[in-house]
Amino acid sequence: MRRWRTSAGLFLAGAAALVFAIPAAGQRDKGAPPPDLPPGFGDQGSAPAPKAAAPAANETAPAAPTAAAPDDNAVVTTPGDSAGAAGEETVVPDAAGEIAQAVPQTEIPEASRRPTNVVGFLKPDNWGLGPTEFGGANGVFLSSLMRRLDAPLPSRWTQILLRRALLSEIPAPQGLNEVDWVAERAWLLLRMGEADAARMLVQAVDVDRFTPRMFTVAVQVALATADPAALCPLVTPGRAVSDEPVWNLADAMCAALQGDSARASQIIDQARGTNGAGGIDILLAQKVIGAGINTRRAVTVQWEGVDSLNSWRFGLAAATGLSIPANLMNGAGPQVWAWQARAPMIPLDQRVAAAQTAASLGVFSNASLVEIFSLLADQTDPSELNDTIGGRLRKAYTGSLDDRMDAMRGLWNDKDAPGGRYARLILTAAAAARISPSSNYANRADDLVASMVTAGYDDEAAHWSGVVGNAGSDADRAWSILAVASERPQVDLSVGRVKAFAGRGEGTRGRMLVAALAGLGRLRDPAALGVDPVPRSRWAHFIDAAARSNQPGTVALLAGTGMQTGDWRGVPPEHLYQIVSALRRVGLDHEARMIAAEAMTRL
């Protein structure tokens, strides 16, 4: 089956200096947005394949990638289920020649045009990484890394950092079209589950300057954000780029949204006559048309016989508030759950599970997660509130000290929590930060400290250092988190203490602690404890060179590239060492500490 993801190999090659070589052309671009399905969906009838483990630290990277230009003619197709054969391609006739009305083109004065050479929203005083974050790195090299990055990432804090890098106000690098550079950034954000961030970048470019690749990404962004109206400005110029079937159905939906129900009916009726009335994709388009002005189409969408999602189905279903069957959502990637979490037309109670997955990815913050449960609690009958997640969360803030601890413990220990236990640690982060350090709760220090650092409350977590230090092995995990998360550690960092931690059956976690401490400059000889600090792979040489050249954006991108694995258990300790060390050297000390603490929390 086709999977729109890379293999576990890092596909890095060339000189280690940061004047990166341009990869040779010739191979089809596997990272380009597919003409039918975005990452996370998979082919119809196929289950997603598990991610492979990241390459070992001493593994030699494969030969240089041969990255061709994106498929400039591919925008999006609408694969559908005809009445007779689920999964067959739906072919929509081009009715534009007969019924499309001429749309006058608005001329934008040159003085009013937005620049495309520098695009971004975050400045250095607002969490941006600065205009030189990628230095002189070659644009083709950077775009190749972006396309091949297997998102979403296993690390919440690495994703947060990468989102900041991609949204920063930065100039286009040499060797790449300016608009294509924006499209590459938006496409990676979309695959990370960051649909709103991707839309910000796409909408920062005037449509009349769109390249074929930007049209491709813009269509996917419109669908991921459940906003079919965003397709409307693309229809006329998009038809000049390609003859994809999406433009006809988009034209019909836009006509209905603009009040031209007769024209919308004519286009959709032609599509139905050619493809059969039972096609799920056409039915979903009809559903959007029925929500338009002066339309009288009542459409019932049945999901029977549909065995997979694609971008069209997700976007139109979410836009019209349709509930997507659980088996289809479960077959989609976690980034699709993040898209669903922020879809405004989906009822709130159907988005809380997706919101927890989004938080574990790094798309939702602690505050956003608390807010969605608070809103849901406001809609719940007070007599039924106590047994709900919102009720327990409220008690975690307002109850007695023992009640607050019991409420958080109940949330942490829910084995069926979407997004896993880590999502619940994020949910309680601010509540945990309100608990004063006490030896009475030394046996809960592991969870309290872990919860705080998920949302960056490292100063509050550090107040527990005295409790953790006196608790000994009963608070081993809390000690390991504070050893790397605290700006000025107040716990024992002696080699003997580290060896004792590693010797208590901690396995991989022990080596990851050694790697993190060494990367932060808190342990001198990691090799003596089983972690090789010497760069052995091309990837390691690249991230080391990026750090030496003070390129925080390139370091962030390579940090994500070094985590090509499904979860933290697949990240080699040597990779964590290189990532943490490089981030610290480019001035991202807090991010380095939070990534290290996340490793101690999630392993």
Side-chain angles (χ1 to χ4, degrees), residues 385-580:
L385 184 60
N386 286 340
D387 294 331
T388 66
I389 296 175
R392 283 183 282 174
L393 182 62
R394 180 174 296 180
K395 188 179 294 184
Y397 281 92
T398 61
S400 67
L401 194 56
D402 286 341
D403 287 345
R404 288 155 63 188
M405 286 300 305
D406 289 341
M408 285 190 284
R409 185 183 298 115
L411 291 169
W412 297 332
N413 294 337
D414 185 351
K415 296 180 179 179
D416 298 324
R421 197 171 192 271
Y422 189 66
R424 292 297 174 81
L425 291 172
I426 298 169
L427 176 64
T428 60
R434 296 160 63 98
I435 303 291
S436 298
S438 170
S439 58
N440 294 333
Y441 298 111
N443 62 335
R444 305 307 304 182
D446 286 354
D447 289 330
L448 286 167
V449 169
S451 181
M452 284 182 255
V453 298
T454 62
Y457 291 108
D458 51 310
D459 289 341
E460 290 78 0
H463 294 159
W464 283 80
S465 297
V467 174
V468 168
N470 295 327
S473 60
D474 290 337
D476 251 6
R477 186 186 292 261
W479 168 81
S480 70
I481 295 171
L482 292 176
V484 297
S486 301
E487 184 176 7
R488 289 177 290 276
Q490 303 171 40
V491 296
D492 182 9
L493 295 182
S494 65
V495 174
R497 182 68 176 89
V498 176
K499 285 184 176 179
F501 177 82
R504 274 194 281 268
E506 298 295 337
T508 301
R509 193 184 304 134
R511 294 184 65 224
M512 293 291 269
L513 175 64
V514 171
L517 288 172
L520 291 169
R522 298 175 182 179
L523 187 65
R524 289 187 178 181
D525 188 12
L529 297 176
V531 177
D532 184 6
V534 179
R536 304 290 183 183
S537 66
R538 288 192 176 98
W539 169 83
H541 282 290
F542 275 131
I543 196 169
D544 177 69
R548 285 189 281 106
S549 297
N550 194 28
Q551 296 184 11
T554 309
V555 168
L557 185 55
L558 286 164
T561 306
M563 293 186 177
Q564 302 293 276
T565 176
D567 58 48
W568 271 101
R569 289 171 294 182
V571 179
E574 289 78 8
H575 280 205
L576 180 63
Y577 167 78
Q578 297 292 344
I579 290 168
V580 170

Side-chain angles (χ1 to χ4, degrees), residues 126-447:
N126 185 32
W127 301 103
L129 299 190
T132 61
E133 65 171 282
F134 291 105
N138 180 271
V140 177
F141 174 83
L142 293 174
S143 66
S144 179
L145 284 181
M146 290 181 184
R147 297 183 199 181
R148 296 177 184 278
L149 199 152
D150 195 1
L153 301 173
S155 168
R156 163 183 166 82
W157 278 98
T158 304
Q159 166 137 335
I160 291 171
L161 172 60
L162 188 53
R163 177 179 66 225
R164 288 170 51 200
L166 296 173
L167 282 178
S168 293
E169 186 180 67
I170 49 178
Q174 295 182 353
L176 194 68
N177 178 278
E178 295 172 354
V179 176
D180 284 345
W181 170 242
V182 181
E184 294 294 353
R185 293 155 62 191
W187 179 234
L188 177 52
L189 285 166
L190 196 62
R191 285 154 36 218
M192 291 163 57
E194 305 279 359
D196 289 328
R199 177 167 59 182
M200 291 173 66
L201 288 179
V202 169
Q203 292 181 343
V205 179
D206 296 327
V207 174
D208 64 343
R209 291 187 170 179
F210 273 23
T211 62
R213 183 166 184 79
M214 181 60 96
F215 275 111
T216 304
V217 174
V219 169
Q220 297 286 352
V221 168
L223 296 173
T225 53
D227 185 13
L231 296 171
C232 298
L234 309 179
V235 172
T236 298
R239 279 178 166 151
V241 173
S242 73
D243 57 357
E244 296 290 345
V246 67
W247 300 130
N248 292 321
L249 293 181
D251 195 11
M253 292 187 296
C254 294
L257 295 175
Q258 295 164 3
D260 193 347
S261 58
R263 182 163 171 265
S265 296
Q266 187 174 4
I267 299 174
I268 202 70
D269 286 343
Q270 284 198 0
R272 289 177 59 199
T274 301
N275 298 281
I280 185 70
D281 300 298
I282 294 179
L283 287 175
L284 287 169
Q286 288 181 267
K287 188 74 173 177
V288 175
I289 290 171
I293 304 172
N294 298 325
T295 55
R296 298 180 180 179
R297 288 177 177 263
V299 179
T300 300
V301 177
Q302 300 292 339
W303 293 96
E304 287 81 1
V306 179
D307 57 6
S308 66
L309 276 179
N310 57 40
S311 54
W312 184 265
R313 294 169 189 173
F314 171 83
L316 300 195
T320 53
L322 288 178
S323 177
I324 300 173
N327 66 305
L328 297 181
M329 284 300 300
N330 290 336
Q335 64 269 52
V336 183
W337 287 85
W339 300 349
Q340 187 185 63
R342 45 78 49 216
M345 293 303 293
I346 297 178
L348 193 64
D349 61 336
Q350 296 179 25
R351 287 191 276 141
V352 291
Q356 294 175 78
T357 298
S360 67
L361 293 178
V363 178
F364 268 33
S365 66
N366 159 258
S368 297
L369 195 57
V370 169
E371 182 179 17
I372 197 169
F373 278 106
S374 298
L375 292 172
L376 190 60
D378 290 341
Q379 300 175 8
T380 304
D381 190 304
S383 63
E384 301 175 355
L385 184 60
N386 286 340
D387 294 331
T388 66
I389 296 175
R392 283 183 282 174
L393 182 62
R394 180 174 296 180
K395 188 179 294 184
Y397 281 92
T398 61
S400 67
L401 194 56
D402 286 341
D403 287 345
R404 288 155 63 188
M405 286 300 305
D406 289 341
M408 285 190 284
R409 185 183 298 115
L411 291 169
W412 297 332
N413 294 337
D414 185 351
K415 296 180 179 179
D416 298 324
R421 197 171 192 271
Y422 189 66
R424 292 297 174 81
L425 291 172
I426 298 169
L427 176 64
T428 60
R434 296 160 63 98
I435 303 291
S436 298
S438 170
S439 58
N440 294 333
Y441 298 111
N443 62 335
R444 305 307 304 182
D446 286 354
D447 289 330

